[in-house]
Amino acid sequence: MKVLLAAVNAKYIHSNPAVYSLRAYAAGYASCVEIAEYTINQSAGAILADLYERRPRMIAFSCYIWNWRMIRGLLWDLQQILPDTDIWLGGPEVSYDAPAVLKTYPWLTGIMVGEGEETFRELMGYYCGEDIRLTEVSGICLPGIVMTPARELPDMDSLPFPYDDTAVFQNRIIYYESSRGCPYRCSYCLSGIEKAVRLRSLPLVKRELDFFLERRVAQVKFVDRTFNCRRSHALAVWRYLAEHDNGVTNFHFEIAAELLQAEEIALLQCVRPGLIQLESGVQSTNPDTLRAIHRHTDLIRLREAVGQIRAGGRVHMHLDLIAGLPYEDYDSFVRSFDDVYAMHPHQLQLGFLKVLKGSPLYEKTREYGIAYSSEPPYEVLYTRWLSYAELRRLKLVEEMVELYYNSGQFRHTLTALEHAFASPFRLYEKLGAFYEERGYVTNHPARSRRYDILLEFACSGDGEHAALYRELLTFDLYLREKCKSRPAFACDLTAYRAALRTYGEDRADHVEPFFYPVWAGSLEEMEVRRERPAFVRFHYAERDPLNHDAEITVL
């Protein structure tokens, strides 16, 4: 008898911690349980064929907004090619409207509602012939709209560690949770529905972190919704990682940055660069918006904390914004963007509201005039404050931020370009419009071509600094890579051959002449042209662990 836990991930590098946790909790039935992971980028036909070849007695799909569309398509075909296979669903995409899902797909065997570890173990007992009836299993919804009693939430220490081998995660991200639940009540999110935060005990967490450290895995992402909501817990974990750092593994945490206090910040300013990366959701800086979504962010403290983390130079900082929230019109979002941009995060994620079934905001869509797509991920189309046309403009801004800011490949050029616009937002807005006018949005230019396009854009609006922009782009390009072919915008080296021979160059280095001090921190310093060039050596064997720039020496 074979039971298959099926996960359809958003990307190959992702994994699905839910299916591993279910299998670990049902360890007594391990010989019967297999895991199959796919991605939404695979063809439905290929996934269907693999499921058919496995011929399980039961399939359980883990359902989320990113994979629900594909899974729905698979459900129609599976019941035809595997008519004797029971099909179960679980996960947030089906837990909050299980009866409606069963009405749409009446051939489903059932839906596991909420946290599924204990539920799945009891189902395994049922399938293995033990004296259990389906209607006696708590936490499920059956055809005919039979809802069994809700299951009590398990103690976190009762959940076994889900991993026994890291080989299957080669070149992939491993996810880990040390807590469930969230103390906050953000109206767009499902995590705050469970008001209590359940923590895994620290001795257990430390033993499990050792598993990752000893195997020197590349990255572990904590899925705790607000990792530092219990300050003592977060501080103990970060201190343990600092003391047991293996020099390789990176740990990612979602936090509320405004909760960071002096002791945590002091610790984070001393860890190995690259050991820890932090992500904090700002979402908006509009006070009316924050009140409407039940966030009580101290923006002054958040700005101070992010600044202190950035100044330490040890921790990668990622900040998030959401477009389409109540009371946030276009001009308000511009202000929110510029406020967060001014904090200089290493990455700025511009996201768009997803109206999730079961969230408090889902119940208020009519009140707020929020229209959203009927298909997952249920993204906002317009609101009372923000039109569809304005959201389309923000989509272009999002793409430009991803290509240029978040890539980290154009840092010095962007620093100079910002001064040519009324605000950072207006820079990316104009760049997005430029991409659209020239047809670059549909052509998806290659990375090397993006340098040329940015030069074209910069010169179209600020031609008097064309020579400076060429050198800035040359500097940014060589900071990242020793190019096999020289870019067209870089200077002709014919006049500098003798000087370059004097400085010498080995395979790990590159030497480049610059008339402008493009490595300087301010535009005022950068734009002062010298009569004779300075030479900069790029050391590719030594790189900044946070932004991956080559180390430089001004000769």
Side-chain angles (χ1 to χ4, degrees), residues 413-486:
T413 309
L414 291 175
T415 297
L417 258 178
E418 287 164 20
H419 293 270
F421 293 87
S423 76
F425 180 89
R426 299 304 177 187
L427 159 61
Y428 295 98
E429 181 185 50
K430 291 288 187 183
L431 182 57
F434 183 83
Y435 255 68
E436 193 169 48
E437 290 163 6
R438 304 296 173 97
Y440 298 142
V441 172
T442 54
N443 291 336
H444 301 294
R447 184 177 64 173
S448 59
R449 175 73 177 120
R450 292 171 202 157
Y451 288 87
D452 298 311
I453 293 173
L454 190 59
L455 177 61
E456 184 183 347
F457 169 73
C459 293
S460 70
D462 187 19
E464 67 176 283
H465 288 106
L468 171 60
Y469 289 131
R470 287 190 180 92
E471 289 205 355
L472 282 162
L473 284 165
T474 302
F475 185 70
D476 278 333
L477 178 62
Y478 281 109
L479 272 175
R480 282 304 184 92
E481 56 187 301
K482 186 176 182 180
C483 305
K484 293 181 180 178
S485 58
R486 191 161 178 77

Side-chain angles (χ1 to χ4, degrees), residues 270-288:
C270 297
V271 298
R272 167 181 61 86
L275 171 65
I276 289 172
Q277 62 186 50
L278 303 177
E279 179 175 355
S280 186
V282 183
Q283 319 312 13
S284 172
T285 61
N286 182 324
D288 293 331

Side-chain angles (χ1 to χ4, degrees), residues 82-304:
L82 293 173
D84 297 324
T85 296
D86 285 359
I87 303 175
W88 285 82
L89 305 180
E93 184 56 26
V94 295
S95 282
Y96 295 97
D97 61 348
V101 174
L102 286 173
K103 281 185 178 179
T104 305
Y105 307 97
W107 60 86
L108 292 175
T109 310
I111 293 175
M112 289 178 265
V113 177
E115 295 182 25
E117 283 89 355
E118 181 64 34
T119 301
F120 178 69
R121 184 165 67 180
E122 290 187 13
L123 286 176
M124 285 303 302
Y126 166 79
Y127 279 99
C128 289
E130 297 175 13
D131 188 19
I132 299 174
R133 289 183 295 180
L134 276 184
T135 52
E136 296 174 342
V137 178
S138 297
I140 62 174
C141 185
L142 300 171
I145 320 305
V146 176
M147 292 286 295
T148 63
R151 187 176 293 282
E152 288 188 14
L153 298 174
D155 178 86
M156 286 296 290
D157 282 2
S158 71
L159 302 176
F161 186 62
Y163 306 115
D164 53 17
D165 179 24
T166 58
V168 295
F169 300 103
Q170 196 71 29
N171 301 317
R172 300 171 70 201
I173 298 169
I174 296 181
Y175 296 90
Y176 175 76
E177 60 183 350
S178 70
S179 68
R180 288 182 182 175
C182 182
Y184 302 106
R185 304 289 175 269
C186 303
S187 65
Y188 54 82
C189 184
L190 296 176
S191 297
I193 292 174
E194 180 198 335
K195 297 183 173 127
V197 177
R198 291 169 289 141
L199 295 168
R200 208 160 173 81
S201 64
L202 281 169
L204 191 54
V205 171
K206 291 175 182 178
R207 287 201 302 272
E208 292 168 350
L209 292 178
D210 285 340
F211 176 88
F212 303 125
L213 292 165
E214 290 164 5
R215 287 158 181 78
R216 301 170 71 81
V217 301
Q219 186 178 55
V220 177
K221 278 198 170 186
F222 276 63
V223 295
D224 304 46
R225 299 313 302 160
T226 306
F227 177 73
N228 64 329
C229 65
R230 182 78 62 85
R231 180 171 172 261
S232 59
H233 179 83
L235 188 58
V237 170
W238 288 338
R239 184 173 289 126
Y240 189 81
L241 293 177
E243 293 169 352
H244 296 81
D245 181 16
N246 61 14
V248 174
T249 306
N250 164 264
F251 293 88
H252 177 100
F253 302 89
E254 291 189 30
I255 66 163
E258 67 274 17
L259 298 183
L260 292 173
Q261 296 185 23
E263 191 174 5
E264 296 99 277
I265 291 173
L267 174 62
L268 294 169
Q269 289 175 333
C270 297
V271 298
R272 167 181 61 86
L275 171 65
I276 289 172
Q277 62 186 50
L278 303 177
E279 179 175 355
S280 186
V282 183
Q283 319 312 13
S284 172
T285 61
N286 182 324
D288 293 331
T289 299
L290 293 175
R291 278 192 293 272
I293 62 174
H294 306 147
R295 288 181 70 87
H296 307 284
T297 307
D298 183 340
L299 292 171
I300 294 174
R301 178 60 200 136
L302 184 144
R303 189 177 298 110
E304 291 173 349

